[in-house]
Amino acid sequence: MSLENAKENLKEFGKELNLELAFDENNTCILGIDDDYSLHITYEPNSQRLYLYSPLLDGLPKDDKTKLKLYERLLEGSMLGGQMAGGGVGVATKEELILVHSTITMEHAVSSALRAYAPIFLEMVERWRKICKDLSEGRAESPSDKKTDAQPMMPRPGAHGSQGFIKI
């Protein structure tokens, strides 16, 4: 049932792009984005999840100080998925590759889940590709790169108009 749902999600996403998309023998579909990077969509049957992942940077900085700054920024941005569209980031040091990833559980997802989420994911990928490139080349981030899309989960005590935290 979940595999069929994943296939339907991929089909609906393809309609949005005017493409006929399908999974290969490894349950993966790879889309080239602007000849610059790729979006990988993989269905994993054991977890019933659709994985979306994309490279942020090919080749890590050689300078340890620059690499540390890059890693710190990635960890900061991935805290609770706040700046990673709910997903996370991983580093394959031997392959010198940084990937950003997210999942959609297919067990009960609507057929438009991928179509709705993919643009948000791709916008985040483009933003983080720029941040990673700038940091790895020794350029400082612009203030707009540091903005967070995350909203506080609960009001702060004493915040304007707030009654503080709700007791449970």
Side-chain angles (χ1 to χ4, degrees):
M1 177 72 168
S2 294
L3 176 59
E4 290 78 25
N5 195 9
K7 288 178 181 178
E8 187 62 29
N9 264 271
L10 193 62
K11 181 179 172 184
E12 287 296 315
F13 181 46
K15 285 180 186 177
E16 184 78 16
L17 301 173
N18 293 320
L19 297 170
E20 287 188 35
L21 301 179
F23 291 116
D24 64 15
E25 64 278 357
N26 297 314
N27 291 329
T28 297
C29 177
I30 302 172
L31 296 171
I33 310 294
D34 295 336
D35 294 326
D36 199 24
Y37 65 95
S38 55
L39 169 64
H40 299 244
I41 304 168
T42 300
Y43 176 73
E44 204 289 309
N46 293 327
S47 66
Q48 298 181 346
R49 290 183 180 147
L50 197 60
Y51 289 86
L52 283 77
Y53 50 102
S54 188
L56 291 181
L57 189 65
D58 291 321
L60 297 175
K62 302 303 178 209
D63 174 56
D64 286 342
K65 187 175 179 181
T66 303
K67 193 183 307 182
L68 178 61
K69 189 173 187 175
L70 175 63
Y71 288 171
E72 286 176 345
R73 184 63 181 100
L74 287 166
L75 286 170
E76 179 184 290
S78 67
M79 177 81 67
L80 299 176
Q83 295 176 34
M84 301 280 179
V89 66
V91 178
T93 53
K94 288 182 182 175
E95 293 81 5
E96 295 195 24
L97 178 66
I98 298 173
L99 286 180
V100 66
H101 56 84
S102 193
T103 62
I104 303 172
T105 302
M106 287 288 104
E107 188 174 12
H108 302 291
V110 295
S111 63
S112 61
L114 176 60
R115 185 181 72 208
Y117 180 68
I120 295 164
F121 184 82
L122 289 172
E123 182 179 316
M124 176 271 302
V125 169
E126 289 176 5
R127 186 169 151 259
W128 276 98
R129 284 181 59 80
K130 180 186 179 309
I131 291 169
C132 289
K133 182 178 182 200
D134 286 351
L135 288 172
S136 70
E137 293 175 357
R139 290 189 298 275
E141 291 179 83
S142 70
S144 65
D145 288 339
K146 288 201 170 206
K147 77 170 182 137
T148 177
D149 299 325
Q151 297 297 317
M153 300 277 289
M154 299 182 81
R156 294 183 320 271
H160 180 69
S162 137
Q163 299 299 315
F165 292 100
I166 300 170
K167 286 189 176 184
I168 299 176

